[in-house]
Amino acid sequence: WGSKDCQRFFVKECGPRAIARTIGAHLDKPSVLALACSAVQSLACENEEGRTQFGDAGVIELICTAMKMHSKEADMQTYACAALQSLVVSHENNTKEVNRLSGASLAEAAIVRHTENTRLQE
C-alpha cells in the first residue's frame, strides 16, 4: 500500500475516534500523547477526510488541553504543534476550533519555552 491508501484505510476504520479516546484516557501521560499527536499529524496531513474526522472527534480540544497540561514537555509540544498545523490546513472548521481554543497562542508559547528544541523551532 502507498501511504495515501494507508491513510484512507485507517481514517475509514474509525482511527480518529480511537485516537481521540486514547488521548482522552491518557492525558496524564505525555509520552502517549506525543505518539498520539504524531499519529494525528500523519493521518491528517494532505487528507481532508482525515482532518474532518479528527475535528469531529474532538481531537483539537484534547490536543489543546494536553498542551496546557504538559507545557514543560518539549516532545509532546512538538508533536502537538505538528498535529494542529496538519489539522488546520485548508480546513475552515478546524481553523475556527483552533482559534476558539487559542491553539496558536499555545503553539507560540511552546516555541518560546522550548528554544533548545530544533524540531519545534521549525
Side-chain angles (χ1 to χ4, degrees):
W1 285 8
S3 63
K4 295 298 175 202
D5 290 335
C6 289
Q7 258 186 339
R8 285 190 289 276
F9 176 79
F10 195 82
V11 167
K12 181 182 174 189
E13 297 301 317
C14 301
R17 296 211 183 277
I19 292 173
R21 284 191 304 273
T22 299
I23 293 171
H26 299 285
L27 280 170
D28 61 333
K29 297 180 181 95
S31 60
V32 173
L33 297 170
L35 186 58
C37 286
S38 177
V40 170
Q41 187 280 324
S42 179
L43 293 169
C45 186
E46 299 180 19
N47 182 347
E48 184 175 350
E49 179 62 23
R51 289 190 295 272
T52 297
Q53 286 195 29
F54 278 115
D56 291 348
V59 166
I60 295 168
E61 186 166 5
L62 289 164
I63 290 173
C64 289
T65 298
M67 291 179 78
K68 291 174 190 172
M69 291 176 67
H70 302 289
S71 62
K72 295 180 181 178
E73 299 289 338
D75 285 339
M76 201 284 307
Q77 294 289 318
T78 299
Y79 291 112
C81 287
L84 290 179
Q85 182 180 17
S86 289
L87 288 166
V88 301
V89 172
S90 302
H91 201 287
E92 186 177 341
N93 288 341
N94 286 355
T95 300
K96 287 179 183 177
E97 183 70 352
V98 168
N99 289 337
R100 182 183 76 79
L101 297 165
S102 302
S105 296
L106 292 168
E108 288 172 18
I111 291 166
V112 169
R113 178 177 209 130
H114 300 287
T115 56
E116 76 292 347
N117 188 308
T118 56
R119 290 178 297 152
L120 189 54
Q121 299 304 312
E122 293 175 355

